Amino acid sequence: MELLFSYGTLRSKQIQMQIFNKVLSGSPDQILGFKLKSLQIEEEFGMADYVVAVPSESLDDIIHGVAFEVSNQELLKVDQFESNSYKRVQVKLQSGRVAWVYTENK
């Protein structure tokens, strides 16, 4: 199993059902040295507002979220769900565990 850190849309049970056909199991955690940035993504019916994690110059910056346990196949489903505005990278969580997180794709 892999860990997927979510700070936004993926925490929604409705979105989890849409992507995985189940509700994920997870625990609260944080990533240090990142901050959230506003992001507009063009969708079928216009522009939508989201946030994206970006590296910060300060380790004092923290993003709170949830670390979910997912399979490699489930990670591939999330890759398809996320727009190309995001990229998946590995980070060390405050708990010391390593997880995948979606950050800004520059």
Side-chain angles (χ1 to χ4, degrees), residues 16-96:
Q16 292 174 18
M17 288 299 293
Q18 177 184 334
I19 298 171
F20 310 110
N21 205 29
K22 67 177 186 180
V23 174
L24 299 177
S25 171
S27 58
D29 216 323
Q30 298 85 35
I31 52 174
L32 308 176
F34 282 81
K35 59 186 176 182
L36 294 177
K37 173 182 165 184
S38 293
L39 178 69
Q40 283 201 324
I41 297 176
E42 188 172 350
E43 294 188 341
E44 184 178 355
F45 300 106
M47 299 300 283
D49 293 318
Y50 293 94
V51 293
V52 63
V54 294
S56 170
E57 295 178 11
S58 172
L59 288 177
D60 292 334
D61 286 331
I62 298 173
I63 297 176
H64 297 274
V66 178
F68 293 110
E69 291 184 3
V70 295
S71 68
N72 285 320
Q73 292 81 9
E74 289 169 332
L75 276 176
L76 295 176
K77 289 180 180 181
V78 182
D79 287 344
Q80 292 176 348
F81 172 78
E82 293 292 359
S83 79
N84 60 6
S85 298
Y86 295 88
K87 67 178 178 182
R88 180 165 45 101
V89 298
Q90 281 193 311
V91 296
K92 188 172 185 177
L93 302 175
Q94 188 173 30
S95 65

